PDB file of all heavy atoms in Angstrom:
ATOM      1  N   LYS A  27      -2.520  10.444 -22.885  1.00 98.00           N
ATOM      2  CA  LYS A  27      -3.893  10.110 -22.529  1.00 98.00           C
ATOM      3  C   LYS A  27      -4.776   9.963 -23.777  1.00 98.00           C
ATOM      4  O   LYS A  27      -5.465   8.949 -23.945  1.00 98.00           O
ATOM      5  CB  LYS A  27      -4.440  11.214 -21.616  1.00 98.00           C
ATOM      6  CG  LYS A  27      -5.756  10.893 -20.952  1.00 98.00           C
ATOM      7  CD  LYS A  27      -6.144  12.026 -20.007  1.00 98.00           C
ATOM      8  CE  LYS A  27      -7.628  12.001 -19.743  1.00 98.00           C
ATOM      9  NZ  LYS A  27      -8.091  13.215 -19.080  1.00 98.00           N
ATOM     10  N   ALA A  28      -4.717  10.956 -24.665  1.00 98.00           N
ATOM     11  CA  ALA A  28      -5.614  10.980 -25.819  1.00 98.00           C
ATOM     12  C   ALA A  28      -5.182  10.015 -26.926  1.00 98.00           C
ATOM     13  O   ALA A  28      -6.016   9.314 -27.511  1.00 98.00           O
ATOM     14  CB  ALA A  28      -5.701  12.403 -26.382  1.00 98.00           C
ATOM     15  N   ASP A  29      -3.879   9.972 -27.215  1.00 98.00           N
ATOM     16  CA  ASP A  29      -3.401   9.191 -28.358  1.00 98.00           C
ATOM     17  C   ASP A  29      -2.967   7.775 -27.997  1.00 98.00           C
ATOM     18  O   ASP A  29      -3.141   6.850 -28.788  1.00 98.00           O
ATOM     19  CB  ASP A  29      -2.224   9.908 -29.044  1.00 98.00           C
ATOM     20  CG  ASP A  29      -2.667  11.157 -29.789  1.00 98.00           C
ATOM     21  OD1 ASP A  29      -3.709  11.711 -29.430  1.00 98.00           O
ATOM     22  OD2 ASP A  29      -1.967  11.567 -30.746  1.00 98.00           O
ATOM     23  N   ILE A  30      -2.376   7.601 -26.822  1.00 98.00           N
ATOM     24  CA  ILE A  30      -1.844   6.289 -26.449  1.00 98.00           C
ATOM     25  C   ILE A  30      -2.846   5.505 -25.602  1.00 98.00           C
ATOM     26  O   ILE A  30      -2.904   4.286 -25.656  1.00 98.00           O
ATOM     27  CB  ILE A  30      -0.504   6.432 -25.694  1.00 98.00           C
ATOM     28  CG1 ILE A  30       0.467   7.305 -26.496  1.00 98.00           C
ATOM     29  CG2 ILE A  30       0.112   5.064 -25.425  1.00 98.00           C
ATOM     30  CD1 ILE A  30       0.786   6.781 -27.887  1.00 98.00           C
ATOM     31  N   GLY A  31      -3.628   6.217 -24.791  1.00 98.00           N
ATOM     32  CA  GLY A  31      -4.668   5.539 -24.019  1.00 98.00           C
ATOM     33  C   GLY A  31      -4.374   5.358 -22.546  1.00 98.00           C
ATOM     34  O   GLY A  31      -5.139   4.707 -21.836  1.00 98.00           O
ATOM     35  N   PHE A  32      -3.256   5.937 -22.070  1.00 97.00           N
ATOM     36  CA  PHE A  32      -2.995   5.885 -20.627  1.00 97.00           C
ATOM     37  C   PHE A  32      -3.983   6.804 -19.912  1.00 97.00           C
ATOM     38  O   PHE A  32      -4.333   7.866 -20.427  1.00 97.00           O
ATOM     39  CB  PHE A  32      -1.567   6.356 -20.311  1.00 97.00           C
ATOM     40  CG  PHE A  32      -0.501   5.388 -20.721  1.00 97.00           C
ATOM     41  CD1 PHE A  32       0.358   5.666 -21.766  1.00 97.00           C
ATOM     42  CD2 PHE A  32      -0.347   4.181 -20.050  1.00 97.00           C
ATOM     43  CE1 PHE A  32       1.341   4.763 -22.148  1.00 97.00           C
ATOM     44  CE2 PHE A  32       0.630   3.274 -20.416  1.00 97.00           C
ATOM     45  CZ  PHE A  32       1.487   3.570 -21.478  1.00 97.00           C
ATOM     46  N   ASP A  33      -4.414   6.399 -18.711  1.00 94.00           N
ATOM     47  CA  ASP A  33      -5.296   7.305 -17.968  1.00 94.00           C
ATOM     48  C   ASP A  33      -4.912   7.395 -16.497  1.00 94.00           C
ATOM     49  O   ASP A  33      -5.709   7.813 -15.668  1.00 94.00           O
ATOM     50  CB  ASP A  33      -6.764   6.909 -18.140  1.00 94.00           C
ATOM     51  CG  ASP A  33      -7.077   5.563 -17.502  1.00 94.00           C
ATOM     52  OD1 ASP A  33      -6.137   4.850 -17.117  1.00 94.00           O
ATOM     53  OD2 ASP A  33      -8.270   5.226 -17.376  1.00 94.00           O
ATOM     54  N   GLY A  34      -3.691   6.994 -16.169  1.00 97.00           N
ATOM     55  CA  GLY A  34      -3.204   7.131 -14.803  1.00 97.00           C
ATOM     56  C   GLY A  34      -1.727   7.461 -14.787  1.00 97.00           C
ATOM     57  O   GLY A  34      -0.982   7.038 -15.672  1.00 97.00           O
ATOM     58  N   TRP A  35      -1.319   8.255 -13.799  1.00 98.00           N
ATOM     59  CA  TRP A  35       0.085   8.673 -13.702  1.00 98.00           C
ATOM     60  C   TRP A  35       0.712   8.196 -12.394  1.00 98.00           C
ATOM     61  O   TRP A  35       0.075   8.182 -11.347  1.00 98.00           O
ATOM     62  CB  TRP A  35       0.230  10.201 -13.753  1.00 98.00           C
ATOM     63  CG  TRP A  35      -0.553  10.918 -14.797  1.00 98.00           C
ATOM     64  CD1 TRP A  35      -1.277  12.063 -14.624  1.00 98.00           C
ATOM     65  CD2 TRP A  35      -0.679  10.584 -16.189  1.00 98.00           C
ATOM     66  NE1 TRP A  35      -1.861  12.453 -15.804  1.00 98.00           N
ATOM     67  CE2 TRP A  35      -1.510  11.559 -16.786  1.00 98.00           C
ATOM     68  CE3 TRP A  35      -0.200   9.548 -16.985  1.00 98.00           C
ATOM     69  CZ2 TRP A  35      -1.846  11.537 -18.136  1.00 98.00           C
ATOM     70  CZ3 TRP A  35      -0.540   9.515 -18.334  1.00 98.00           C
ATOM     71  CH2 TRP A  35      -1.347  10.498 -18.893  1.00 98.00           C
ATOM     72  N   ARG A  36       1.988   7.814 -12.472  1.00 98.00           N
ATOM     73  CA  ARG A  36       2.786   7.536 -11.282  1.00 98.00           C
ATOM     74  C   ARG A  36       3.839   8.628 -11.184  1.00 98.00           C
ATOM     75  O   ARG A  36       4.647   8.802 -12.104  1.00 98.00           O
ATOM     76  CB  ARG A  36       3.467   6.166 -11.384  1.00 98.00           C
ATOM     77  CG  ARG A  36       4.405   5.861 -10.221  1.00 98.00           C
ATOM     78  CD  ARG A  36       5.196   4.577 -10.497  1.00 98.00           C
ATOM     79  NE  ARG A  36       6.068   4.233  -9.392  1.00 98.00           N
ATOM     80  CZ  ARG A  36       7.286   4.723  -9.194  1.00 98.00           C
ATOM     81  NH1 ARG A  36       7.793   5.619 -10.033  1.00 98.00           N
ATOM     82  NH2 ARG A  36       8.003   4.331  -8.157  1.00 98.00           N
ATOM     83  N   PHE A  37       3.841   9.364 -10.083  1.00 97.00           N
ATOM     84  CA  PHE A  37       4.808  10.443  -9.885  1.00 97.00           C
ATOM     85  C   PHE A  37       6.032   9.892  -9.152  1.00 97.00           C
ATOM     86  O   PHE A  37       6.001   9.658  -7.948  1.00 97.00           O
ATOM     87  CB  PHE A  37       4.172  11.596  -9.094  1.00 97.00           C
ATOM     88  CG  PHE A  37       3.186  12.387  -9.901  1.00 97.00           C
ATOM     89  CD1 PHE A  37       1.850  12.002  -9.972  1.00 97.00           C
ATOM     90  CD2 PHE A  37       3.588  13.504 -10.616  1.00 97.00           C
ATOM     91  CE1 PHE A  37       0.942  12.717 -10.731  1.00 97.00           C
ATOM     92  CE2 PHE A  37       2.684  14.237 -11.384  1.00 97.00           C
ATOM     93  CZ  PHE A  37       1.360  13.843 -11.437  1.00 97.00           C
ATOM     94  N   ASP A  38       7.098   9.673  -9.916  1.00 96.00           N
ATOM     95  CA  ASP A  38       8.328   9.131  -9.355  1.00 96.00           C
ATOM     96  C   ASP A  38       9.032  10.198  -8.516  1.00 96.00           C
ATOM     97  O   ASP A  38       9.020  11.379  -8.869  1.00 96.00           O
ATOM     98  CB  ASP A  38       9.242   8.684 -10.499  1.00 96.00           C
ATOM     99  CG  ASP A  38      10.409   7.854 -10.020  1.00 96.00           C
ATOM    100  OD1 ASP A  38      10.180   6.874  -9.302  1.00 96.00           O
ATOM    101  OD2 ASP A  38      11.557   8.190 -10.368  1.00 96.00           O
TER     102      ASP A  38
END
Side-chain angles (χ1 to χ4, degrees):
K27 191 176 159 192
D29 289 24
I30 308 301
F32 288 110
D33 66 349
W35 314 135
R36 175 188 182 276
F37 287 87
D38 192 52

